[in-house]
Amino acid sequence: MTNSDGDFLHELHHPDVPVPEAVRSVVTVTSFGKLMDAIYNWGRRNSVWPMFLGLACCAIEMIATASSRFDQARFGMELLRASPRQADLMIASGTVTKKMIVPIVRLYNQMSEPKYVLAMGACAIGGGPFKEGYSVVSGLDKYIPVDIYVPGCPPTPQALLYGFLMLHKKIDGQSLGNRNSVPWYSRTPGEDVPVPVLGPDIIDPRQAYLLRRATTTASEAHASA
Amino acid sequence: MTEYVQIAETVTPLQGAIHRLEAQFAGAVRRDDREGFSGVIVDSGRLVEVATFARDTLGFSYLSSATAVDYLGKAEGDPLEMVYHTYNLQGGPALVLKARTPRSEATLPSLVGVWPGANFQEREAWDLMGIRFEGHPNLTRILMWEGFNGHPLRKDWHEAYYEEDTKPFDSRWPEGRVSRAEEHNPYGRNVKYPADFALDGYESLAEKALYDAAPMGVHVTDMATDRVVVSMGPQHPSTHGVFRMIATLDGETIVGLEPVMGYLHRNHDKIGERNTFLHNMPFTDRLDYFCSMSNNHGYALAVEQLMALGKRYEPPTYRAEAIRVLMVELTRILNHLVAIGFLLNDLGAYFTPLMYAIIERELILDFFEATSGSRMMCNYMRFGGVAYDLPQRIEGTAALVNDRVRDFDTMHYLRDLINDRLPRAIDQTNDLLTTNEIITNRCIGVGVLTREDAIACSAAGPVLRASGVPYDVRRAEPYSIYPDLEFDVAVRYHGDIYDRYLIRLDEMRQSIRILKQILPILEETKGQPFFAGRGGQYNPRIPAGEAYGRAENPKGELGYYVVSDGGQNPWRYHVRAPSFINLTALEQMCKGHKVADVVAILGSIDIVLGEVDR
Amino acid sequence: MYGSGIVRGLGVTLRHFLNTYLEDIRWGFRRHVPDEAFPLRQGLETRGIFTVEYPEEKIATPERFRFIPFLVVENYDHPERPGHDWCTSCGICAKACPPQCIWIVRGTNPETGRPVPEPDEFYIDIDLCMNCGFCAEFCPFDAIKMDHDYELASYDRTTAHVFDKQRLSKEFRYWQSIAPTRAVEEAEARGGWEHKDVLKQREKEARAQARASGGEGEG
Ligand code: SF4
Ligand code: SF4
Ligand code: SF4
């Protein structure tokens, strides 16, 4: 959709925009916008394709959710795609390590909008039982935005399915006319998340200023001492 | 390569071997006489000689585990010690070789020339402990990335979220004001940089180091194809998780392959040393997350070995052992069914066989869930027994009894499962797949691992046995009640993918055989205690000493090397992971085959990343 | 012969497909009436389709099922101490917890400053909890138990994922409802349905009374 279309949709929700007489007699315009939302969201919600990002133990429960007994295809999540380009939902299932967050951020950047991230399991949410370890990221949301958190270690398949239902609710709540809830129709393209660098420890480019400040104070302290 | 020598010494007990070592290398070999410790300490200068002698003359041709221990503050000079567990393939206990090196200039000769299986393990020791191995062909970091600051398993290395040396932490009770660890870190994250680190102009070594190692560029010889370096993974549907390979291709043919791991390195060893002994039990669940029951068993064995060094030790009761074997063998069936499913995934039968395997898996998991409380992370075994007895019934499932729908009685469930359901599933897998032409075409003769290479590379489990070595820990160094049970060690001789597939079917059949013998034992011992000694101890006393507990896991020999200093926490806790060491042979198996075969070969080794990277 | 493998594979799929309908016929097309058919379909005799149609159908969680722990408190209509914590803040669960995700502030009597058997605050960070069940296993007062509620997905972790005492507390009745046989076993071990301390107190009172009345009888 182009920006002008976005503007059109935006106008639909604007109370000050005059409504043509002919249209007014057929439908009420506010509900027309809502109707569009409903149809559009219905379609999106029932065809969410998850990405097969199996990181650790939780991935096995994700596979269990995808296969015979729990069958997430009932929610329109037909296939677990291995490629980020074909996926709408990143299910980060398992422990996110510092070494792995680099490819994960890249994968996230490669997913096309609208995209959602579901953090499955204590590890992906906040480091889980391995949080204290030196090579574990304390939560996926330290690097990329996460929409749904599904706690548990591991969450049972039913708990994950509940997470999908929450995602559906979230999608249903999004309105095409509201740029805050659907950032992908804004005029400027979405910005990529900067990819972390593996240095002596992991470096998030967004924290570079902190790091610089810390090293200068350290060297100053060194110099003064 | 290693010649497998069968000589008279193989029947002499371990003592004889040690005597011969002492006689041969007088002065360079001395016994480890600390209480609770065993084996010999070898002068590092003659380590290679001693190892070669142990391998060739004494017959200890199989290197099970090689790992390092940091004796900071525990021994004179704060040395680092490398511990090698070597076994005779005829069976019997380990000959343990140890070598010490000062921590400031930690260097030891590499044993890759003697046992190629030491390759990854020495790299791990370099990465995590900072021991330099002279003569190692590729001494780079393996679990962390190149350029990482420090060697984390050293006792004086502290991570960003370091709170105390050992658990339980004082901050939790009685004044437990909740806080998240990131609140105490200036970056709000789990990071820590050296004080002199300068960001500007920094160049990350992590990726560069990988590609520098692979011979890149165009090598045009006689109009041949160019070489290409392909990075496969860590996000790839056929790498069984976050595993990565740097493959060098000549056209479509693999000429070099470098496994890259560490994408799931979760500091199992480091956290394990901070935990109390019991705390580690649920962490072992998360090693090989298909087989949590077997992991529990191996760890319980190791700690029970340590406990046996003390005075008041009661071994697990018979019922406890029977329940353990029941769980472990069910796990084996579950794992092998799913492994075959995944192998077929890799061969292109996308998900269908796996779906059928998962039905059976779910049925076994129902039993696990009803018994232990969790489907996957069972955390079921304790030192001296199991956590709970078998439940009365299996909730959530039902059977028709006299035409009425009833919850399953546990024994009824097990009987039906073992006598009827699982054999049928195995037969169905067999009928469907064994003679399938796609499978025979793609598997027979592909990815061959010869018997000699399998031994040299310390392959374990189905990979070793498919290459013609009938080595099974359950028979070679029996534990639990396996000596009372009748079963055969499955063995196949071609060492290709097809044999590794067949041997899994064989093993499942043997497991069914074992399970059928377990059922009457369970009936007989009903009501007997499932736990020896006093239950309900969250902090059992473990005497000082070392133990290497190993169990035959579905994926191979799982070993736990645990050193106790008599305190609440293990001083050293190391996991010998079968998946990790089986990967040593991957390059050998893949060379000369096509790219598409690599995923099949990898599938036939059956790795799980939780165990590879720990 | 080429192609036979495919035919056999399709045969298995066809068998499952047909079995699904045979089962349907057997149940008179009532398979979605969950009371009877559903657990049977999840059992060992399952032949055809095996799917749990969550959220309409849910697999029953077994009694020992472990998810996030909860704290047992007295029933809110308890005659003597409604809503009183069973936890005595002894700290054993906090020590037994492998990822150290339990924080307890021991209760103190504001007048004397002496500890009282009741936690002032009790937190569990569910982003760390590994659902291992050690806290429930080693609690000497049956005061912390593993919950069966797994539907916890949320949109925000900063506010929702550190469970405080209020969020963790559930009535004793709830534990009886999710684990009836275990609740009975534990009650037998304690010697009554009440909390250990209450039972001890009662016993003491009864003994004192018996002594008193015995003394009276003598005198
Ligand atoms: S949350 Fe638990 S089960 Fe999931 S990846 Fe982490 S440790 Fe494994
Ligand atoms: S072990 Fe039980 S009584 Fe003790 S602090 Fe924990 S919950 Fe409370
Ligand atoms: S279940 Fe385990 S990890 Fe969770 S609070 Fe209890 S002891 Fe801690």
Side-chain angles (χ1 to χ4, degrees):
Chain A
M1 226 180 248
T2 62
N3 287 332
S4 60
D5 283 342
D7 282 345
F8 161 70
L9 287 165
H10 187 62
E11 280 169 9
L12 279 178
H13 285 258
H14 211 284
D16 296 341
V17 176
V19 180
E21 200 56 44
V23 178
R24 197 183 299 218
S25 60
V26 187
V27 282
T28 41
V29 172
T30 48
S31 67
F32 176 70
K34 289 237 173 71
L35 185 69
M36 280 292 286
D37 283 350
I39 295 174
Y40 191 77
N41 286 342
W42 173 82
R44 279 193 319 133
R45 136 164 85 78
N46 286 313
S47 62
V48 175
W49 280 23
M51 182 163 82
F52 190 95
L53 182 66
L55 298 176
C57 350
C58 281
I60 310 303
E61 285 297 57
M62 180 178 74
I63 293 171
T65 314
S67 50
S68 349
R69 195 180 227 175
F70 297 98
D71 191 12
Q72 66 189 25
R74 292 180 296 117
F75 297 95
M77 304 177 137
E78 264 339 303
L79 272 176
L80 289 166
R81 299 309 305 176
S83 157
R85 306 270 185 211
Q86 301 160 339
D88 314 297
L89 170 66
M90 174 191 268
I91 304 180
S93 51
T95 319
V96 183
T97 59
K98 290 176 184 170
K99 219 171 165 180
M100 193 60 203
I101 189 72
V102 182
I104 290 179
V105 170
R106 273 204 214 111
L107 289 167
Y108 178 77
N109 288 341
Q110 285 172 15
M111 283 169 73
S112 51
E113 294 273 16
K115 55 189 169 188
Y116 298 93
V117 179
L118 186 150
M120 174 184 183
C123 285
I125 297 174
F130 298 97
K131 177 174 178 175
E132 64 196 270
Y134 48 86
S135 71
V136 175
V137 170
S138 0
L140 187 60
D141 54 5
K142 295 262 188 276
Y143 291 87
I144 58 176
V146 174
D147 295 279
I148 312 283
Y149 301 90
V150 183
C153 181
T156 59
Q158 301 191 44
L160 180 59
L161 289 178
Y162 182 75
F164 292 158
L165 294 180
M166 293 283 280
L167 175 70
H168 287 181
K169 233 185 260 169
K170 176 157 193 161
I171 295 178
D172 274 343
Q174 292 184 324
S175 167
L176 294 174
N178 182 352
R179 290 232 185 86
N180 289 333
S181 81
V182 284
W184 52 91
Y185 291 132
S186 65
R187 274 168 212 284
T188 47
E191 272 182 28
D192 279 357
V193 178
V195 180
V197 182
L198 292 174
D201 206 329
I202 189 145
I203 304 164
D204 187 344
R206 291 175 296 191
Q207 286 195 324
Y209 72 98
L210 271 179
L211 184 51
R212 280 207 191 90
R213 199 194 302 156
T215 42
T216 38
T217 38
S219 56
E220 272 164 17
H222 192 75
S224 63
Chain B
M1 273 293 104
T2 323
E3 190 56 31
Y4 180 62
V5 194
Q6 196 166 357
I7 41 167
E9 278 82 354
T10 54
V11 286
T12 48
L14 184 63
Q15 284 303 326
I18 293 181
H19 279 307
R20 286 200 56 184
L21 267 185
E22 280 171 332
Q24 185 83 16
F25 301 95
V29 168
R30 66 186 169 87
R31 288 188 199 215
D32 190 351
D33 44 17
R34 288 169 293 172
E35 187 140 349
F37 287 77
S38 63
V40 292
I41 300 180
V42 183
D43 199 30
S44 64
R46 301 187 72 185
L47 184 62
V48 178
E49 262 176 87
V50 173
T52 316
F53 183 77
R55 183 193 70 184
D56 294 340
T57 318
L58 300 177
F60 287 87
S61 53
Y62 183 77
L63 175 74
S64 166
S65 139
T67 187
V69 189
D70 182 0
Y71 282 108
L72 177 65
K74 293 285 161 185
E76 202 185 323
D78 301 336
L80 298 175
E81 185 180 271
M82 198 65 194
V83 184
Y84 303 88
H85 283 84
T86 63
Y87 285 90
N88 189 322
L89 285 172
Q90 304 286 312
L95 172 65
V96 188
L97 305 177
K98 297 174 182 175
R100 291 190 162 183
T101 171
R103 58 193 297 115
S104 49
E105 285 281 317
T107 325
L108 282 175
S110 168
L111 288 189
V112 175
V114 187
W115 288 292
N119 185 341
F120 286 0
Q121 305 187 61
E122 285 183 353
R123 277 178 70 189
E124 186 189 326
W126 156 243
D127 188 355
L128 302 183
M129 279 289 191
I131 301 180
R132 208 165 261 295
F133 290 92
E134 265 161 15
H136 191 287
N138 175 25
L139 194 66
T140 47
R141 287 189 183 258
I142 187 164
L143 295 179
M144 301 308 288
W145 57 90
E146 214 46 55
F148 183 73
N149 178 35
H151 300 286
L153 268 188
R154 289 202 179 185
K155 289 282 180 187
D156 49 5
W157 191 94
H158 291 158
E159 53 268 80
Y161 285 170
Y162 174 82
E163 190 169 341
E164 264 175 64
D165 267 342
T166 53
K167 288 179 186 172
F169 297 147
D170 287 337
S171 63
R172 301 303 196 259
W173 179 87
E175 276 300 310
R177 305 275 170 204
V178 68
S179 67
R180 289 189 158 112
E182 44 269 57
E183 292 163 18
H184 306 296
N185 189 298
Y187 299 94
R189 305 190 179 183
N190 187 5
V191 290
K192 186 175 126 184
Y193 307 99
D196 57 348
F197 174 62
L199 182 63
D200 301 296
Y202 180 78
E203 200 184 335
S204 173
L205 295 171
E207 291 292 298
K208 199 171 154 289
L210 287 180
Y211 292 108
D212 282 353
M216 263 255 252
V218 186
H219 303 266
V220 183
T221 44
D222 306 330
M223 297 295 289
T225 39
D226 291 352
R227 286 186 169 203
V228 201
V229 176
V230 176
S231 161
M232 224 178 127
Q235 159 67 2
H236 190 281
S238 291
T239 49
H240 295 228
V242 285
F243 181 62
R244 178 175 177 192
M245 291 172 275
I246 304 279
T248 314
L249 306 180
D250 189 351
E252 269 277 291
T253 313
I254 303 277
V255 291
L257 186 135
E258 177 68 30
V260 185
M261 37 202 136
Y263 289 95
L264 189 53
H265 179 49
R266 304 191 276 196
N267 329 310
H268 196 88
D269 291 9
K270 183 89 179 175
I271 295 178
E273 282 161 24
R274 194 173 304 129
N275 284 345
T276 68
F277 283 94
L278 189 67
H279 283 165
N280 275 337
M281 192 56 88
F283 278 95
T284 63
D285 289 341
R286 285 148 179 88
L287 278 172
D288 172 356
Y289 28 75
F290 283 104
C291 316
S292 60
M293 287 285 191
S294 329
N295 301 341
N296 284 183
H297 195 188
Y299 181 56
L301 286 174
V303 177
E304 279 161 12
Q305 267 182 36
L306 276 177
M307 287 166 83
L309 297 172
K311 286 186 202 76
R312 286 195 311 270
Y313 167 67
E314 290 173 63
T317 61
Y318 201 67
R319 180 168 175 83
E321 295 283 18
I323 294 178
R324 284 180 177 185
V325 172
L326 168 82
M327 295 302 181
V328 167
E329 296 302 325
L330 279 175
T331 306
R332 195 178 313 277
I333 295 177
L334 172 162
N335 177 73
H336 284 350
L337 274 174
V338 175
I340 291 175
F342 274 116
L343 172 64
L344 265 288
N345 244 9
D346 298 342
L347 286 173
Y350 199 62
F351 264 106
T352 310
L354 187 62
M355 293 277 183
Y356 291 119
I358 281 185
I359 295 183
E360 314 305 324
R361 176 173 182 264
E362 290 284 342
L363 293 173
I364 297 176
L365 290 190
D366 278 346
F367 169 63
F368 284 177
E369 189 179 28
T371 310
S372 71
S374 182
R375 288 153 51 85
M376 282 171 64
M377 302 305 168
C378 298
N379 183 20
Y380 183 55
M381 305 201 187
R382 301 285 180 270
F383 315 130
V386 294
Y388 320 95
D389 206 341
L390 297 182
Q392 275 298 315
R393 38 193 74 257
I394 312 289
E395 288 104 339
T397 62
L400 276 184
V401 183
N402 303 332
D403 279 334
R404 302 255 312 269
V405 179
R406 291 274 167 79
D407 264 5
F408 259 111
D409 177 37
T410 305
M411 288 315 287
H412 179 181
Y413 191 87
L414 285 176
R415 262 196 307 275
D416 281 6
L417 189 70
I418 291 165
N419 292 327
D420 183 37
R421 179 92 205 182
L422 291 178
R424 194 143 37 87
I426 297 168
D427 287 343
Q428 177 182 316
T429 311
N430 182 30
D431 289 349
L432 198 56
L433 303 176
T434 306
T435 55
N436 184 310
E437 58 263 26
I438 297 176
I439 292 173
T440 50
N441 280 353
R442 288 206 49 194
C443 295
I444 293 181
V446 177
V448 176
L449 184 67
T450 61
R451 181 191 153 91
E452 288 70 31
D453 287 350
I455 298 169
C457 291
S458 304
V463 179
L464 181 67
R465 289 191 288 273
S467 294
V469 185
Y471 190 77
D472 185 321
V473 184
R474 291 175 294 174
R475 281 287 186 244
E477 203 188 356
Y479 54 94
S480 195
I481 55 170
Y482 281 112
D484 303 352
L485 299 170
E486 232 177 77
F487 68 97
D488 297 323
V489 175
V491 60
R492 297 261 167 182
Y493 296 92
H494 298 103
D496 53 3
I497 301 181
Y498 194 60
D499 271 11
R500 286 196 281 276
Y501 155 75
L502 287 177
I503 202 155
R504 298 212 157 86
L505 285 179
D506 298 342
E507 286 192 7
M508 282 195 275
R509 296 226 162 89
Q510 295 301 328
S511 290
I512 293 278
R513 212 170 131 195
I514 295 174
L515 288 170
K516 283 186 176 161
Q517 298 165 52
I518 288 287
L519 281 178
I521 300 178
L522 287 178
E523 298 272 15
E524 270 165 39
T525 57
K526 204 166 217 162
Q528 289 178 13
F530 54 89
F531 196 90
R534 264 177 57 217
Q537 269 183 300
Y538 66 91
N539 215 345
R541 235 193 69 74
I542 312 285
E546 65 170 357
Y548 184 58
R550 36 183 218 151
E552 187 65 36
N553 249 34
K555 298 202 166 60
E557 174 190 332
L558 177 72
Y560 290 90
Y561 180 65
V562 186
V563 177
S564 162
D565 61 351
Q568 292 185 9
N569 314 72
W571 179 256
R572 177 79 175 104
Y573 166 80
H574 172 75
V575 183
R576 183 254 189 236
S579 306
F580 175 62
I581 296 171
N582 282 352
L583 281 175
T584 316
L586 181 67
E587 179 171 21
Q588 231 155 343
M589 288 192 233
C590 291
K591 264 189 191 164
H593 292 293
K594 302 273 183 275
V595 185
D597 293 326
V598 172
V599 288
I601 292 169
L602 190 69
S604 75
I605 303 179
D606 184 18
I607 59 165
V608 60
L609 265 291
E611 200 176 65
V612 173
D613 295 341
R614 284 152 292 149
Chain C
M1 192 194 68
Y2 277 93
S4 65
I6 292 176
V7 172
R8 247 182 297 153
L10 288 175
V12 172
T13 306
L14 183 69
R15 200 169 69 230
H16 272 260
F17 178 77
L18 291 180
N19 273 334
T20 304
Y21 288 95
L22 288 178
E23 286 279 289
D24 263 5
I25 293 169
R26 191 165 130 224
W27 286 99
F29 295 95
R30 284 184 305 124
R31 67 155 51 240
H32 293 294
V33 184
D35 321 358
E36 282 193 353
F38 175 63
L40 202 59
R41 189 147 47 88
Q42 295 304 320
L44 290 178
E45 288 163 43
T46 174
R47 291 285 179 277
I49 197 167
F50 182 56
T51 309
V52 178
E53 298 195 359
Y54 186 90
E56 287 83 22
E57 301 169 333
K58 291 177 187 174
I59 300 192
T61 47
E63 277 195 23
R64 292 176 185 173
F65 183 75
R66 305 189 242 115
F67 217 64
I68 311 291
F70 71 95
L71 287 174
V72 178
V73 299
E74 292 289 6
N75 290 338
Y76 293 128
D77 54 2
H78 190 274
E80 285 153 35
R81 32 181 238 169
H84 194 280
D85 299 298
W86 278 41
C87 173
T88 62
S89 77
C90 69
I92 287 179
C93 53
K95 288 177 195 148
C97 173
Q100 297 284 294
C101 66
I102 301 182
W103 281 264
I104 304 171
V105 178
R106 186 168 57 195
T108 46
N109 187 329
E111 283 157 26
T112 61
R114 300 257 289 282
V116 292
E118 207 179 329
D120 266 357
E121 289 163 49
F122 200 112
Y123 301 99
I124 294 182
D125 188 343
I126 65 164
D127 292 350
L128 299 186
C129 174
M130 65 200 300
N131 308 163
C132 66
F134 277 163
C135 47
E137 196 174 323
F138 294 109
C139 173
F141 297 96
D142 297 326
I144 189 165
K145 292 290 167 202
M146 303 307 283
D147 205 347
H148 290 195
D149 180 15
Y150 48 80
E151 292 172 337
L152 292 172
S154 64
Y155 297 126
D156 180 16
R157 84 177 172 106
T158 48
T159 53
H161 282 197
V162 178
F163 284 11
D164 58 7
K165 198 168 113 184
Q166 195 191 353
R167 173 73 176 74
L168 286 168
S169 296
K170 292 196 175 168
E171 279 184 295
F172 179 60
R173 193 175 284 134
Y174 174 73
W175 173 240
Q176 280 173 308
S177 72
I178 61 172
T181 50
R182 284 186 69 197
V184 170
E185 279 167 20
E186 286 163 8
E188 275 168 9
R190 284 197 304 268
W193 279 111
E194 301 289 337
H195 186 266
K196 239 186 196 171
D197 285 352
V198 176
L199 291 171
K200 224 186 269 170
Q201 186 68 27
R202 282 206 192 140
E203 209 176 297
K204 218 194 264 170
E205 278 166 17
R207 232 185 289 131
Q209 209 161 24
R211 212 182 302 128
S213 61
E216 270 166 32
E218 262 172 50

Short mmCIF file of all heavy atoms in Angstrom, two decimals, chain C residues 71 79 117 193:
data_model
loop_
_atom_site.label_atom_id
_atom_site.label_comp_id
_atom_site.label_asym_id
_atom_site.label_seq_id
_atom_site.Cartn_x
_atom_site.Cartn_y
_atom_site.Cartn_z
N LEU C 71 1.28 -19.81 46.33
CA LEU C 71 1.33 -19.93 47.78
C LEU C 71 -0.05 -20.31 48.29
O LEU C 71 -1.05 -19.71 47.89
CB LEU C 71 1.74 -18.60 48.41
CG LEU C 71 3.20 -18.20 48.26
CD1 LEU C 71 3.40 -16.81 48.79
CD2 LEU C 71 4.09 -19.18 49.00
N PRO C 79 -12.94 -20.07 59.46
CA PRO C 79 -13.53 -19.43 60.65
C PRO C 79 -12.51 -18.66 61.49
O PRO C 79 -12.83 -17.63 62.06
CB PRO C 79 -14.10 -20.62 61.43
CG PRO C 79 -13.43 -21.83 60.88
CD PRO C 79 -13.11 -21.51 59.47
N PRO C 117 6.35 -16.20 62.17
CA PRO C 117 6.26 -17.20 61.09
C PRO C 117 5.28 -16.79 60.00
O PRO C 117 4.22 -17.35 59.84
CB PRO C 117 5.78 -18.45 61.83
CG PRO C 117 5.06 -17.95 63.01
CD PRO C 117 5.68 -16.66 63.39
N TRP C 193 -6.63 -31.61 58.19
CA TRP C 193 -6.71 -30.73 57.03
C TRP C 193 -6.06 -29.38 57.28
O TRP C 193 -5.76 -28.64 56.37
CB TRP C 193 -8.18 -30.50 56.64
CG TRP C 193 -8.73 -31.63 55.83
CD1 TRP C 193 -9.67 -32.53 56.21
CD2 TRP C 193 -8.37 -31.99 54.50
NE1 TRP C 193 -9.91 -33.43 55.22
CE2 TRP C 193 -9.12 -33.11 54.15
CE3 TRP C 193 -7.45 -31.46 53.57
CZ2 TRP C 193 -9.01 -33.74 52.91
CZ3 TRP C 193 -7.36 -32.08 52.33
CH2 TRP C 193 -8.12 -33.20 52.02
#
